[in-house]
Amino acid sequence: MDSIKERVDARGVSGYIAAAAAHQDAMDRLRKLAERLEEEHGAVTDDEQQAARDRIAAIDGWHDEQPSSSDEAA
């Protein structure tokens, strides 16, 4: 409990715990969705996972190439 108290901000311990519970709820619902999708469509293959990682990397690369708001102000 002391480690939590050291990390919390103005929202306090109860706010920290509420946020953690909301996060866990979201992860539980996401896990259920993934399980349902796997039942309906089968497991994601290694090739599909790699294709998704490649697409994310391409999007990240595109995003990194975009001018920032500080670049536009100059």
Side-chain angles (χ1 to χ4, degrees):
M1 190 70 151
D2 288 337
S3 67
I4 292 173
K5 288 179 182 178
E6 291 170 5
R7 289 184 297 218
V8 298
D9 52 21
R11 65 190 172 168
V13 174
S14 61
Y16 182 90
I17 292 170
H23 175 78
Q24 186 61 51
D25 178 59
M27 293 299 99
D28 291 345
R29 289 183 293 127
L30 184 58
R31 188 174 302 106
K32 284 182 180 184
L33 173 61
E35 289 169 358
R36 191 177 88 222
L37 290 172
E38 188 170 308
E39 286 174 10
E40 290 179 20
H41 303 286
V44 176
T45 67
D46 290 342
D47 288 343
E48 291 168 328
Q49 287 183 26
Q50 188 58 53
R53 286 187 201 101
D54 292 346
R55 183 68 180 129
I56 291 168
I59 292 168
D60 285 345
W62 175 87
H63 185 267
D64 291 343
E65 293 171 0
Q66 301 308 301
S68 69
S69 58
S70 62
D71 292 341
E72 293 172 358

